[in-house]
Amino acid sequence: MTFIKILIYKLLNKQISNIYNKRFDNYNNTPKGVFWNSKLSQDLRLNIILDKILNISNNNKFSIADIGCGYGRLYEIIKDRNLDRKAQYYGFDVNKKFIQFCKNNKDFENVKFEISAYPLKDTDFVVMSGTYNLTPTNNISLWEDYIIKNLTNNWKFVGKAMIFNCLLKDKKTINKSLYYTELTWIKKICEKNFCNPEIIKHNLLKDDITVILKKWFYCLRDIIKAFKWYENNSGSSKGIKCPHSG
Protein backbone atom coordinates (compact mmCIF):
# COMPACT_ATOMS: atom_id res chain seq x y z
CA MET A 1 0.00 0.00 0.00
CA THR A 2 1.38 3.41 -0.98
CA PHE A 3 2.18 6.14 1.52
CA ILE A 4 -0.52 8.32 -0.06
CA LYS A 5 -3.19 5.67 0.50
CA ILE A 6 -2.12 5.26 4.11
CA LEU A 7 -2.62 8.98 4.62
CA ILE A 8 -5.99 8.89 2.87
CA TYR A 9 -7.22 6.01 5.06
CA LYS A 10 -6.05 7.84 8.19
CA LEU A 11 -7.89 10.93 7.04
CA LEU A 12 -11.06 8.87 6.47
CA ASN A 13 -10.77 7.46 10.00
CA LYS A 14 -10.36 10.98 11.39
CA GLN A 15 -13.39 12.24 9.48
CA ILE A 16 -15.49 9.28 10.62
CA SER A 17 -14.44 9.85 14.21
CA ASN A 18 -15.39 13.53 14.04
CA ILE A 19 -18.84 12.72 12.63
CA TYR A 20 -19.51 10.22 15.41
CA ASN A 21 -18.24 12.64 18.07
CA LYS A 22 -20.90 15.18 17.14
CA ARG A 23 -23.60 12.54 16.98
CA PHE A 24 -22.62 11.01 20.32
CA ASP A 25 -22.60 14.45 21.96
CA ASN A 26 -26.22 14.91 20.87
CA TYR A 27 -27.67 11.45 21.53
CA ASN A 28 -25.25 9.78 23.97
CA ASN A 29 -25.19 5.97 24.30
CA THR A 30 -28.36 5.27 22.34
CA PRO A 31 -28.97 3.72 18.90
CA LYS A 32 -29.29 7.24 17.44
CA GLY A 33 -25.94 8.08 19.00
CA VAL A 34 -24.32 5.66 16.52
CA PHE A 35 -26.66 6.38 13.59
CA TRP A 36 -29.06 3.43 13.94
CA ASN A 37 -32.71 4.15 13.18
CA SER A 38 -33.99 2.20 16.18
CA LYS A 39 -33.00 -0.13 18.99
CA LEU A 40 -34.84 -2.92 17.17
CA SER A 41 -32.74 -2.64 14.01
CA GLN A 42 -29.49 -2.22 15.94
CA ASP A 43 -30.12 -5.19 18.24
CA LEU A 44 -31.47 -7.45 15.50
CA ARG A 45 -28.27 -7.07 13.50
CA LEU A 46 -26.13 -7.78 16.55
CA ASN A 47 -28.18 -10.82 17.57
CA ILE A 48 -27.91 -12.26 14.05
CA ILE A 49 -24.13 -12.05 14.39
CA LEU A 50 -24.15 -13.49 17.90
CA ASP A 51 -26.44 -16.39 16.93
CA LYS A 52 -24.09 -17.28 14.09
CA ILE A 53 -21.12 -17.24 16.44
CA LEU A 54 -22.89 -19.61 18.83
CA ASN A 55 -23.71 -21.91 15.92
CA ILE A 56 -20.15 -22.03 14.59
CA SER A 57 -18.63 -22.47 18.04
CA ASN A 58 -21.13 -25.20 18.97
CA ASN A 59 -22.08 -23.15 22.03
CA ASN A 60 -18.56 -23.52 23.44
CA LYS A 61 -16.48 -20.68 24.85
CA PHE A 62 -15.17 -18.20 22.29
CA SER A 63 -13.21 -14.97 21.93
CA ILE A 64 -14.61 -12.08 19.92
CA ALA A 65 -13.19 -8.82 18.59
CA ASP A 66 -15.88 -6.20 18.00
CA ILE A 67 -14.56 -3.77 15.38
CA GLY A 68 -16.34 -0.42 15.48
CA CYS A 69 -17.74 -1.27 18.91
CA GLY A 70 -19.20 2.20 19.53
CA TYR A 71 -20.55 2.47 23.06
CA GLY A 72 -20.39 -1.31 23.53
CA ARG A 73 -23.92 -2.40 22.66
CA LEU A 74 -22.80 -5.86 21.54
CA TYR A 75 -21.29 -6.54 24.94
CA GLU A 76 -24.49 -5.33 26.60
CA ILE A 77 -26.41 -7.93 24.57
CA ILE A 78 -23.86 -10.61 25.46
CA LYS A 79 -24.51 -9.82 29.13
CA ASP A 80 -28.29 -9.66 28.64
CA ARG A 81 -28.16 -13.16 27.13
CA ASN A 82 -25.99 -14.43 29.99
CA LEU A 83 -23.15 -15.22 27.63
CA ASP A 84 -20.48 -13.11 29.33
CA ARG A 85 -18.90 -16.17 30.99
CA LYS A 86 -18.75 -17.92 27.64
CA ALA A 87 -17.47 -14.98 25.58
CA GLN A 88 -14.07 -13.35 25.91
CA TYR A 89 -14.89 -9.94 24.47
CA TYR A 90 -12.59 -7.23 23.08
CA GLY A 91 -13.93 -3.92 21.77
CA PHE A 92 -12.11 -1.76 19.20
CA ASP A 93 -12.94 1.58 17.64
CA VAL A 94 -11.05 4.41 15.93
CA ASN A 95 -13.08 6.88 17.99
CA LYS A 96 -11.33 7.84 21.24
CA LYS A 97 -14.54 9.09 22.84
CA PHE A 98 -16.28 5.73 22.39
CA ILE A 99 -13.34 3.82 23.87
CA GLN A 100 -13.08 6.14 26.84
CA PHE A 101 -16.83 5.83 27.45
CA CYS A 102 -16.57 2.03 27.44
CA LYS A 103 -13.54 2.01 29.72
CA ASN A 104 -15.42 4.21 32.20
CA ASN A 105 -18.55 2.04 32.10
CA LYS A 106 -18.74 0.21 35.46
CA ASP A 107 -20.94 -2.48 33.87
CA PHE A 108 -18.10 -3.47 31.55
CA GLU A 109 -15.91 -5.54 33.85
CA ASN A 110 -13.21 -7.96 32.73
CA VAL A 111 -13.37 -6.77 29.12
CA LYS A 112 -10.90 -4.64 27.20
CA PHE A 113 -11.45 -1.70 24.86
CA GLU A 114 -8.73 -0.25 22.65
CA ILE A 115 -8.39 2.46 19.99
CA SER A 116 -7.80 0.49 16.80
CA ALA A 117 -9.38 -0.49 13.49
CA TYR A 118 -8.41 -4.14 13.95
CA PRO A 119 -7.65 -6.59 16.81
CA LEU A 120 -4.35 -6.52 18.64
CA LYS A 121 -4.15 -10.31 18.80
CA ASP A 122 -5.82 -13.38 17.28
CA THR A 123 -9.43 -14.07 18.25
CA ASP A 124 -11.93 -16.75 17.28
CA PHE A 125 -14.33 -14.24 15.75
CA VAL A 126 -13.90 -10.76 14.32
CA VAL A 127 -17.18 -8.92 13.78
CA MET A 128 -18.34 -5.55 12.43
CA SER A 129 -21.91 -4.30 12.63
CA GLY A 130 -22.56 -1.16 10.62
CA THR A 131 -18.86 -0.36 10.74
CA TYR A 132 -18.58 0.43 7.02
CA ASN A 133 -22.04 1.92 6.42
CA LEU A 134 -21.32 5.56 7.22
CA THR A 135 -18.86 7.16 4.83
CA PRO A 136 -17.39 10.69 4.78
CA THR A 137 -16.72 10.48 1.04
CA ASN A 138 -18.92 10.28 -2.07
CA ASN A 139 -16.19 8.41 -3.95
CA ILE A 140 -17.51 4.82 -4.14
CA SER A 141 -14.24 3.39 -5.46
CA LEU A 142 -12.23 4.97 -2.64
CA TRP A 143 -14.65 3.77 0.01
CA GLU A 144 -14.64 0.22 -1.36
CA ASP A 145 -10.84 0.22 -1.32
CA TYR A 146 -11.05 1.31 2.32
CA ILE A 147 -13.50 -1.51 3.12
CA ILE A 148 -11.37 -4.17 1.42
CA LYS A 149 -8.21 -2.96 3.17
CA ASN A 150 -9.89 -3.03 6.58
CA LEU A 151 -11.44 -6.45 6.01
CA THR A 152 -8.06 -7.79 4.86
CA ASN A 153 -6.32 -6.42 7.96
CA ASN A 154 -8.94 -7.97 10.23
CA TRP A 155 -8.92 -11.34 8.44
CA LYS A 156 -5.33 -11.85 9.59
CA PHE A 157 -6.51 -12.10 13.20
CA VAL A 158 -9.43 -14.49 12.62
CA GLY A 159 -9.34 -17.98 14.11
CA LYS A 160 -12.80 -19.24 13.11
CA ALA A 161 -14.86 -16.64 11.23
CA MET A 162 -15.24 -12.99 10.33
CA ILE A 163 -18.80 -11.66 10.28
CA PHE A 164 -19.98 -8.26 9.11
CA ASN A 165 -23.13 -6.64 7.81
CA CYS A 166 -23.68 -4.03 5.14
CA LEU A 167 -26.44 -2.11 3.42
CA LEU A 168 -27.67 -3.44 0.08
CA LYS A 169 -29.19 -2.05 -3.12
CA ASP A 170 -29.55 -3.32 -6.68
CA LYS A 171 -26.85 -0.84 -7.67
CA LYS A 172 -23.91 0.43 -5.61
CA THR A 173 -24.50 3.92 -4.30
CA ILE A 174 -23.73 6.43 -1.56
CA ASN A 175 -26.87 8.17 -0.37
CA LYS A 176 -26.94 10.65 2.52
CA SER A 177 -23.46 9.49 3.60
CA LEU A 178 -24.52 5.82 3.66
CA TYR A 179 -22.79 3.28 1.43
CA TYR A 180 -24.93 0.56 -0.20
CA THR A 181 -23.20 -2.38 -1.86
CA GLU A 182 -24.32 -4.82 -4.54
CA LEU A 183 -24.68 -8.52 -3.81
CA THR A 184 -22.51 -9.52 -6.79
CA TRP A 185 -19.72 -7.14 -5.73
CA ILE A 186 -19.59 -8.25 -2.10
CA LYS A 187 -19.55 -11.91 -3.18
CA LYS A 188 -16.77 -11.22 -5.66
CA ILE A 189 -14.45 -9.44 -3.23
CA CYS A 190 -15.04 -12.09 -0.56
CA GLU A 191 -14.25 -14.95 -2.92
CA LYS A 192 -11.18 -13.14 -4.26
CA ASN A 193 -9.69 -12.10 -0.91
CA PHE A 194 -11.06 -14.52 1.69
CA CYS A 195 -13.36 -17.45 0.93
CA ASN A 196 -16.79 -18.37 -0.40
CA PRO A 197 -19.18 -16.32 1.76
CA GLU A 198 -22.36 -17.33 3.51
CA ILE A 199 -24.87 -14.49 3.19
CA ILE A 200 -27.90 -14.06 5.44
CA LYS A 201 -30.86 -11.81 4.69
CA HIS A 202 -33.51 -11.18 7.37
CA ASN A 203 -37.06 -10.30 6.33
CA LEU A 204 -37.17 -7.43 8.86
CA LEU A 205 -34.01 -5.87 7.44
CA LYS A 206 -34.97 -5.08 3.86
CA ASP A 207 -31.78 -3.28 2.82
CA ASP A 208 -29.32 -5.29 4.88
CA ILE A 209 -27.23 -8.47 4.62
CA THR A 210 -24.94 -10.32 7.02
CA VAL A 211 -21.80 -11.86 5.53
CA ILE A 212 -20.04 -14.82 7.17
CA LEU A 213 -16.50 -15.72 6.14
CA LYS A 214 -15.19 -18.93 7.72
CA LYS A 215 -11.65 -20.19 7.91
CA TRP A 216 -11.11 -23.29 5.77
CA PHE A 217 -11.43 -25.82 8.61
CA TYR A 218 -14.95 -24.64 9.42
CA CYS A 219 -15.94 -24.63 5.75
CA LEU A 220 -14.70 -28.23 5.55
CA ARG A 221 -16.68 -29.12 8.68
CA ASP A 222 -19.85 -27.76 7.07
CA ILE A 223 -19.21 -29.75 3.90
CA ILE A 224 -18.78 -32.95 5.92
CA LYS A 225 -22.02 -32.22 7.79
CA ALA A 226 -23.82 -31.69 4.48
CA PHE A 227 -22.52 -34.99 3.08
CA LYS A 228 -23.61 -36.86 6.20
CA TRP A 229 -27.05 -35.28 6.07
CA TYR A 230 -27.43 -36.19 2.40
CA GLU A 231 -26.27 -39.75 2.97
CA ASN A 232 -28.71 -40.19 5.85
CA ASN A 233 -31.57 -38.86 3.75
CA SER A 234 -30.88 -40.33 0.32
CA GLY A 235 -28.07 -42.86 0.63
CA SER A 236 -25.96 -40.86 -1.80
CA SER A 237 -23.64 -37.86 -1.52
CA LYS A 238 -23.79 -36.82 -5.16
CA GLY A 239 -24.35 -33.19 -5.96
CA ILE A 240 -23.96 -31.70 -2.47
CA LYS A 241 -22.54 -28.18 -2.27
CA CYS A 242 -21.03 -26.41 0.72
CA PRO A 243 -24.07 -25.17 2.70
CA HIS A 244 -22.70 -21.62 2.82
CA SER A 245 -22.09 -21.31 -0.90
CA GLY A 246 -24.43 -18.31 -1.04
Side-chain angles (χ1 to χ4, degrees):
M1 184 168 59
T2 65
F3 179 70
I4 297 297
K5 278 208 168 183
I6 292 174
L7 289 179
I8 291 172
Y9 294 158
K10 285 185 175 181
L11 176 60
L12 288 173
N13 282 338
K14 181 66 175 176
Q15 290 174 323
I16 293 166
S17 187
N18 288 340
I19 292 170
Y20 275 102
N21 279 340
K22 294 177 182 178
R23 186 77 173 188
F24 196 63
D25 287 342
N26 289 330
Y27 295 101
N28 301 310
N29 56 319
T30 66
K32 282 190 175 182
V34 286
F35 288 96
W36 291 115
N37 290 327
S38 68
K39 186 174 182 294
L40 174 64
S41 65
Q42 180 190 27
D43 286 2
L44 180 55
R45 288 172 171 90
L46 292 171
N47 276 296
I48 289 171
I49 290 173
L50 194 51
D51 287 343
K52 196 65 191 178
I53 287 174
L54 292 172
N55 175 264
I56 296 171
S57 62
N58 286 325
N59 286 310
N60 294 317
K61 289 184 177 181
F62 59 87
S63 58
I64 176 173
D66 183 10
I67 308 301
C69 64
Y71 62 86
R73 180 56 187 159
L74 177 56
Y75 187 67
E76 290 178 341
I77 292 175
I78 287 172
K79 290 190 69 176
D80 290 343
R81 294 179 58 172
N82 297 315
L83 295 170
D84 45 314
R85 291 186 179 181
K86 183 174 291 186
Q88 185 177 11
Y89 174 94
Y90 303 93
F92 300 94
D93 207 295
V94 297
N95 187 295
K96 295 179 182 179
K97 185 172 289 189
F98 285 149
I99 296 302
Q100 195 58 51
F101 174 87
C102 291
K103 286 184 174 182
N104 292 338
N105 191 330
K106 294 179 180 179
D107 293 328
F108 292 171
E109 297 179 355
N110 302 318
V111 291
K112 293 184 178 181
F113 293 90
E114 300 289 346
I115 301 169
S116 181
Y118 48 84
L120 303 182
K121 65 178 183 178
D122 292 352
T123 55
D124 294 327
F125 298 93
V126 177
V127 305
M128 310 90 164
S129 184
T131 304
Y132 308 120
N133 290 352
L134 182 74
T135 170
T137 178
N138 288 318
N139 187 325
I140 292 177
S141 178
L142 172 62
W143 188 246
E144 290 178 341
D145 286 346
Y146 174 87
I147 291 172
I148 294 170
K149 181 58 182 176
N150 276 277
L151 290 176
T152 302
N153 284 340
N154 279 285
W155 183 247
K156 298 172 186 176
F157 297 92
V158 173
K160 295 182 179 179
M162 181 165 69
I163 306 173
F164 64 96
N165 51 42
C166 47
L167 299 172
L168 186 71
K169 293 284 189 186
D170 291 334
K171 184 178 181 180
K172 290 185 288 184
T173 186
I174 293 174
N175 183 27
K176 295 180 180 179
S177 298
L178 293 176
Y179 167 76
Y180 295 81
T181 190
E182 291 175 351
L183 190 59
T184 52
W185 183 83
I186 202 71
K187 281 185 174 181
K188 182 179 178 181
I189 66 110
C190 287
E191 290 167 356
K192 179 180 178 181
N193 296 282
F194 313 112
C195 64
N196 199 18
E198 176 185 357
I199 296 178
I200 297 173
K201 189 150 180 36
H202 196 283
N203 58 4
L204 293 180
L205 299 170
K206 184 179 67 172
D207 297 327
D208 200 278
I209 56 172
T210 302
V211 181
I212 301 97
L213 301 170
K214 299 176 186 176
K215 289 292 185 168
W216 72 268
F217 174 82
Y218 294 90
C219 289
L220 179 61
R221 188 185 69 176
D222 287 345
I223 293 172
I224 292 171
K225 283 183 178 179
F227 270 96
K228 287 182 178 178
W229 177 90
Y230 194 81
E231 287 175 345
N232 290 336
N233 286 272
S234 69
S236 171
S237 58
K238 184 179 180 181
I240 285 294
K241 297 195 302 179
C242 178
H244 63 277
S245 58

